Amino acid sequence: MAISMNSISRHTSRWSCLLIAFSCTLLLVPFLTALEKSPFDNYSSYLGTNYDQEYRPKFHFTSRKNWINDPNGLLYYDGEYHLFFQHNPLGTGWGNMTWGHAISTDMVHWQQMEHAILPYGNGYVFSGTGVVDHNNSLGVQKGDTKTLVLLYSYAVDIRKNFGILPPPAETCYYQGIAYSTDKGRTFTLLNDGAPVIPNQGKTVDPKGTERDPKLFWHEESKKWITILWLGETSKGKVRFFTSDNLRDWAFASDMQRPWAHECFDLVHLDVYDDKGKKSGNKKWLIYDGNLDYEVGNFDGKAFHSQQKVRNHKIGHWNAAQTFNNSPDDRTVIMGWLVQGCFYRKRMPFAEQLSFPTTMHLRKQGADHLLCRWPVDEIKSLYTKTHTLPKNIKVEKANQNLKDISADAMDITLSFEPKAKDLVFHMRGSTLTYQAKDNKLSFLSASYAQIQKRLAEMNEKERKRHRGKKNFLLPDAAIDGVVNVRILIDRGSFEIFLNGGVSVLTQSEISELDQLSLFFSHNNTNAIINELIIHELESSWK
Ligand code: FRU
């Protein structure tokens, strides 16, 4: 049988086509597998959800959808603030920990971005911090754009609520790095997410839960520093490491404190004198998730405390951190306002972050006291401003307050209680000056409701309301005058007393019809020295 050259070449070309197709498919398999979308990579499905729900906070960060908890990786680079956060992309409860991401030019108006770091292997991505790799220590910089480096805890656990990944054989945490060479638009896991700081061993923390690394550049020693809380069974141990290249980390020192718990941060703060003037001095302040803090010195390897531990948390608060690489000399902190409970109102999102505040120290005798104060950028949200006449009685103040009704406000209030109780009503919740102990007591509308029923409740029901109480601010009147700044949003109250030396943060969803502000008439002698109310527009477009 004669086979024509034509048919041979036809056959050959058919075979070679098949062969090429087959080998291409083989080559494509790993590529296609890599392209298979992670179930956590679902930000595009959020875009149909806007910010127009009636209980959506107007100027506190929430995710378009789903659960958030700790702020993570706060940093500033090239005109943009980056806010990463613990996020469950698959629901409104905790779990499936992923790093969500948002960008802002002013820390007030945020734009949510694609999730930055997704769970991988059989573990999740817990809290951590981020830096701008200013001297290309990691060695991956592209062009002039500095690399953004995120140091996170990789957490594996067999508990069900961790998420949907198959349970791991081994359980322990380690610290890994993700980086971005395109100003935070995409992220890559360094060494595919392998440990950069390995687990420190079961002798340190039998549970293996060390986490929440704080990474920063220490200019004096020209080193990168990481501070790591060594976990739930480490008896309050905190370990310091140093590095030149962000990849290799050397042990520097250990610190042990009974108060130490999660999410450490170490910041170098301006010291103000007791008259509120910048002294030109700076001190180091170390703090944990509960805002327990000590003030002292950091020598590049160890923290040396110079005063006893204090606490700066009153109310709903956890796991705060500060922005690395701030553009000015401010230190700005954001925390998680726990117990947002937006699920009760069937919102598509859960939980919220605090409004950003600056931090500084005020010298008082030999001690240094932490102060927090809302960042000035809040002014960009002011719409109407109501300035009441100065030094008026309560009755006159109430007449002026009658026509003011807003769901988000920035209030400056200064009053002389004249040694008697005075109650300020705000959207159904109350702030009471307690003359007997010179304290301010905040009672949220929802707890006031619960209080009425507490006596009838059984133990189980009462337990459900465990976190709820009247929160108290100490040392309210100084020389007979109380000075407060109050931020009110649809889901929270943040109260800054006497320049922010005490701060109360309360998650509380005020009812839609509760908009009024007024004083109770119980103290007709009190003088309202100053009352300025700025109504705030929403920061969401
Ligand atoms: C604090 C915290 C961190 C942990 C993260 C997990 O709220 O428990 O210690 O990394 O939350 O979401």
Side-chain angles (χ1 to χ4, degrees), residues 18-30:
L18 280 173
L19 206 68
I20 291 169
F22 182 66
S23 24
C24 281
T25 316
L26 278 186
L27 284 174
L28 273 175
V29 167

Side-chain angles (χ1 to χ4, degrees), residues 69-70 86 94 97 126-127 211-212 262-263 318-319 336:
N69 52 292
D70 313 354
Q86 288 287 280
W94 185 89
M97 282 298 131
F126 272 21
S127 288
R211 58 179 187 264
D212 313 331
E262 301 181 334
C263 302
N318 196 23
W336 166 29

Side-chain angles (χ1 to χ4, degrees), residues 238-450:
V238 182
R239 185 158 286 177
F240 291 73
F241 301 85
T242 60
S243 173
D244 292 316
N245 59 8
L246 290 163
R247 295 168 189 261
D248 305 302
W249 290 90
F251 169 86
S253 70
D254 273 348
M255 169 180 129
Q256 190 154 16
R257 296 290 190 274
W259 53 264
H261 186 68
E262 301 181 334
C263 302
F264 262 75
D265 197 354
L266 177 64
V267 282
H268 205 196
L269 297 182
D270 285 319
V271 178
Y272 286 57
D273 62 23
D274 50 6
K275 309 228 161 33
K277 283 242 163 67
K278 242 189 194 179
S279 69
N281 294 336
K282 282 190 153 209
K283 287 260 171 213
W284 288 91
L285 177 141
I286 195 163
Y287 68 90
D288 72 348
N290 279 320
L291 257 179
D292 293 312
Y293 71 92
E294 287 182 22
V295 175
N297 183 29
F298 177 64
D299 63 10
K301 293 203 156 169
F303 174 77
H304 306 281
S305 186
Q306 293 168 342
Q307 71 185 45
K308 70 172 192 336
V309 61
R310 291 181 173 277
N311 180 272
H312 211 252
K313 159 180 156 169
I314 304 173
H316 299 149
W317 178 272
N318 196 23
Q321 62 172 258
T322 51
F323 283 90
N324 264 322
N325 198 43
S326 272
D328 34 46
D329 60 0
R330 289 184 300 177
T331 303
V332 177
I333 183 171
M334 286 176 84
W336 166 29
L337 291 186
V338 298
Q339 293 186 32
C341 298
F342 291 101
Y343 65 87
R344 291 211 183 113
K345 300 290 184 192
R346 296 203 176 74
M347 293 290 105
F349 57 93
E351 300 298 306
Q352 61 189 330
L353 301 185
S354 73
F355 189 74
T357 57
T358 56
M359 293 169 100
H360 68 264
L361 292 168
R362 184 191 296 167
K363 193 147 190 322
Q364 188 167 292
D367 263 4
H368 295 84
L369 307 181
L370 174 59
C371 299
R372 286 182 276 153
W373 198 247
V375 296
D376 273 353
E377 283 86 339
I378 195 170
K379 292 179 182 157
S380 67
L381 299 176
Y382 291 176
T383 52
K384 267 192 228 160
T385 294
H386 311 269
T387 308
L388 272 62
K390 291 225 153 126
N391 307 322
I392 53 177
K393 291 270 177 81
V394 164
E395 208 181 328
K396 177 104 186 275
N398 281 346
Q399 283 163 16
N400 282 273
L401 289 170
K402 223 171 42 240
D403 301 324
I404 302 172
S405 66
D407 55 2
M409 288 168 270
D410 178 354
I411 300 178
T412 298
L413 167 64
S414 145
F415 62 95
E416 287 170 49
K418 305 281 185 202
K420 272 189 81 180
D421 286 7
L422 181 67
V423 188
F424 186 39
H425 298 253
M426 305 169 293
R427 301 206 62 199
S429 297
T430 51
L431 186 65
T432 302
Y433 175 73
Q434 299 181 165
K436 71 168 182 340
D437 51 7
N438 192 25
K439 285 184 174 146
L440 285 178
S441 163
F442 181 79
L443 176 61
S444 66
S446 60
Y447 187 51
Q449 289 298 324
I450 293 165

Side-chain angles (χ1 to χ4, degrees), residues 105-351:
T105 53
D106 61 2
M107 296 180 283
V108 173
H109 301 86
W110 293 99
Q111 190 195 344
Q112 195 165 346
M113 312 292 285
E114 294 281 339
H115 310 324
I117 321 177
L118 305 177
Y120 59 92
N122 48 17
Y124 298 93
V125 195
F126 272 21
S127 288
T129 46
V131 293
V132 178
D133 184 5
H134 60 97
N135 58 1
N136 194 19
S137 299
L138 202 62
V140 296
Q141 185 172 315
K142 293 224 173 90
D144 290 337
T145 304
K146 304 286 178 204
T147 310
L148 305 185
V149 177
L150 309 177
L151 182 65
Y152 58 84
S153 294
Y154 180 72
V156 289
D157 198 300
I158 46 174
R159 279 172 287 178
K160 269 214 194 91
N161 62 352
F162 253 54
I164 61 166
L165 295 173
E170 266 296 302
T171 67
C172 68
Y173 298 14
Y174 66 74
Q175 319 310 312
I177 277 183
Y179 63 88
S180 168
T181 53
D182 57 4
K183 293 180 63 178
R185 270 51 188 181
T186 57
F187 289 86
T188 306
L189 295 175
L190 184 72
N191 302 330
D192 296 328
V196 172
I197 301 180
N199 186 276
Q200 300 296 291
K202 298 251 158 145
T203 51
V204 180
D205 173 26
K207 258 182 141 183
T209 54
E210 58 211 41
R211 58 179 187 264
D212 313 331
K214 159 73 181 185
L215 169 63
F216 68 104
W217 172 254
H218 185 239
E219 184 54 33
E220 291 72 19
S221 60
K222 302 257 182 289
K223 295 258 186 217
W224 295 103
I225 313 287
T226 286
I227 306 171
L228 186 63
W229 177 62
L230 290 184
E232 283 152 22
T233 44
S234 71
K235 301 201 176 88
K237 259 205 182 154
V238 182
R239 185 158 286 177
F240 291 73
F241 301 85
T242 60
S243 173
D244 292 316
N245 59 8
L246 290 163
R247 295 168 189 261
D248 305 302
W249 290 90
F251 169 86
S253 70
D254 273 348
M255 169 180 129
Q256 190 154 16
R257 296 290 190 274
W259 53 264
H261 186 68
E262 301 181 334
C263 302
F264 262 75
D265 197 354
L266 177 64
V267 282
H268 205 196
L269 297 182
D270 285 319
V271 178
Y272 286 57
D273 62 23
D274 50 6
K275 309 228 161 33
K277 283 242 163 67
K278 242 189 194 179
S279 69
N281 294 336
K282 282 190 153 209
K283 287 260 171 213
W284 288 91
L285 177 141
I286 195 163
Y287 68 90
D288 72 348
N290 279 320
L291 257 179
D292 293 312
Y293 71 92
E294 287 182 22
V295 175
N297 183 29
F298 177 64
D299 63 10
K301 293 203 156 169
F303 174 77
H304 306 281
S305 186
Q306 293 168 342
Q307 71 185 45
K308 70 172 192 336
V309 61
R310 291 181 173 277
N311 180 272
H312 211 252
K313 159 180 156 169
I314 304 173
H316 299 149
W317 178 272
N318 196 23
Q321 62 172 258
T322 51
F323 283 90
N324 264 322
N325 198 43
S326 272
D328 34 46
D329 60 0
R330 289 184 300 177
T331 303
V332 177
I333 183 171
M334 286 176 84
W336 166 29
L337 291 186
V338 298
Q339 293 186 32
C341 298
F342 291 101
Y343 65 87
R344 291 211 183 113
K345 300 290 184 192
R346 296 203 176 74
M347 293 290 105
F349 57 93
E351 300 298 306

Side-chain angles (χ1 to χ4, degrees), residues 495-512:
I495 303 175
F496 302 82
L497 175 64
N498 293 324
V501 72
S502 302
V503 181
L504 187 159
T505 40
Q506 168 103 30
S507 285
E508 168 71 7
I509 305 175
S510 300
E511 287 308 331
L512 300 172

